[in-house]
Amino acid sequence: MFCIGATKAGTTWLHRHLSQHPECHLRSIKELHYFSKSEPQHFDKALREGAQAMELVQARMDASGQNSPWQAQRIADLRDWQDVLGKREINLPAYRQYMESGIESRHVVGDVTPGYALMPMPKLKALLAVGSDVRIVYLIRDPLERLWSHVRMIAKRSALQSFANEAAHLLDRIASGDLSGEAKGIVARGNYAAILPKLARVFDPRRLLVLFYEDLMTSQGVAKLSAFLGIACEKADFARRVHVGLPLDMSAAARHRALAFLRPQYDYVAAAFQNIPAVWRANMNEGLA
């Protein structure tokens, strides 16, 4: 299984849910970005980041004086992944060996990397060569909610201005059509009108599940996902949210401009799917007011 997005649409929650499922095997590293790489320098950069990640986990273990099972597994996963990256090219046997190591009796292996949705069609098609039964999950979230969550995440990283000012400025740039810098990536990762047709051209519809985030966070949504993956429907922890981000209200004027900017996304999804979640419908109607 590849979960290829969208960013800020529940992919981390999904990774944790499936990691705890008795029939699924996911390593502790989310977002491998393996198939996005094409040049040796891409692998070199990932190797440096992996080494830094191992040092950080080890430092935390040393500081606490404890060695939790999760931390030990994290170190092992990072070390194994360094071996794959060290080949400095796409190597399917090495990738499969890493993904399947420790699988035991579990029969679903998962790679959750939202960035894969931005890959061109030839690279997306390459995912099908990983195994004989490859299934794709693409999560979509209300465009306004997803955009604001992504904007807040990026603004939090900035030390140039206050969090609130940076978030408001970034949202204003996007709504104005200034898609330079960080804004370009934020918008691209929520461009359902561009991504969904691409996925439909690459993947057999029987092997592609497009699931609303708002539906995923329900028993019915988890049941739909489980049926698609061919696994038992286990109880899900909907109360546990991950990477929620700092709370911040959006001004009425900013909300109006953002909804106008996002109108093509609402229109495309509403035309492609018979039933859309209530929050989507409410924001669509608000944008028309």
Side-chain angles (χ1 to χ4, degrees):
M1 179 213 74
F2 288 100
C3 176
I4 61 173
T7 301
K8 306 304 293 182
T11 59
T12 301
W13 184 92
L14 178 65
H15 181 271
R16 293 191 181 183
H17 173 69
L18 293 180
S19 294
Q20 298 168 358
H21 196 289
E23 296 176 71
C24 298
H25 181 62
L26 286 79
R27 304 292 292 260
S28 65
I29 307 171
K30 177 178 176 280
E31 303 198 26
L32 296 173
H33 295 284
Y34 187 60
F35 296 96
S36 304
K37 297 172 174 50
S38 56
E39 303 294 335
Q41 58 265 32
H42 299 161
F43 294 92
D44 291 338
K45 180 174 183 291
L47 283 164
R48 291 193 298 271
E49 293 171 345
Q52 292 169 359
M54 282 193 289
E55 291 176 1
L56 179 60
V57 176
Q58 188 63 56
R60 289 174 176 170
M61 292 168 60
D62 295 341
S64 66
Q66 298 178 345
N67 186 352
S68 72
W70 185 89
Q71 289 173 320
Q73 185 62 56
R74 182 71 168 180
I75 289 287
D77 288 351
L78 286 165
R79 186 179 297 114
D80 289 349
W81 188 237
Q82 292 288 88
D83 292 340
V84 180
L85 294 172
K87 299 184 182 301
R88 291 178 171 79
E89 64 178 3
I90 299 298
N91 185 303
L92 290 186
Y95 172 82
R96 285 182 58 90
Q97 182 179 12
Y98 169 82
M99 296 299 292
E100 296 176 5
S101 177
I103 192 171
E104 298 178 345
S105 62
R106 289 163 289 194
H107 60 272
V108 174
V109 175
D111 179 345
V112 180
T113 304
Y116 288 159
L118 301 184
M119 296 192 303
M121 289 178 62
K123 282 186 171 289
L124 281 171
K125 289 179 180 178
L127 298 182
L128 298 173
V130 172
S132 60
D133 185 358
V134 174
R135 306 187 191 190
I136 308 295
V137 175
Y138 184 62
L139 304 178
I140 60 176
R141 182 182 181 184
D142 171 73
L144 183 65
E145 297 290 335
R146 194 216 69 83
L147 174 63
W148 187 228
S149 179
H150 204 162
V151 164
R152 285 165 27 233
M153 180 182 74
I154 299 300
K156 182 182 177 183
R157 299 173 182 170
S158 175
L160 299 178
Q161 304 177 43
S162 73
F163 164 66
N165 288 341
E166 180 67 14
H169 175 67
L170 184 53
L171 183 65
D172 181 68
R173 282 179 49 208
I174 291 172
S176 300
D178 177 3
L179 304 184
S180 59
E182 295 278 14
K184 181 179 180 181
I186 293 172
V187 171
R189 287 174 179 260
N191 191 354
Y192 308 140
I195 293 172
L196 287 171
K198 180 174 63 174
L199 300 184
R201 290 194 294 271
V202 173
F203 301 114
D204 184 326
R206 295 169 297 181
R207 292 292 180 264
L208 170 65
L209 175 65
V210 178
L211 189 61
F212 289 97
Y213 162 82
E214 295 80 6
D215 291 338
L216 171 67
M217 304 306 291
T218 67
S219 298
Q220 295 85 352
V222 170
K224 184 175 183 179
L225 172 71
S226 302
F228 174 74
L229 295 178
I231 58 178
C233 185
E234 295 284 310
K235 184 177 179 180
D237 185 0
F238 300 121
R240 183 179 185 182
R241 294 292 195 267
V242 291
H243 300 329
V244 174
L246 294 176
L248 181 66
D249 291 332
M250 192 187 311
S251 71
R255 184 181 180 91
H256 178 76
R257 295 185 67 200
L259 283 171
F261 175 80
L262 294 167
R263 187 72 203 180
Q265 307 305 325
Y266 284 105
D267 288 345
Y268 182 87
V269 175
F273 297 88
Q274 289 186 336
N275 298 307
I276 62 175
V279 64
W280 288 63
R281 186 68 62 186
N283 283 337
M284 285 183 66
N285 291 337
E286 180 183 341
L288 290 173

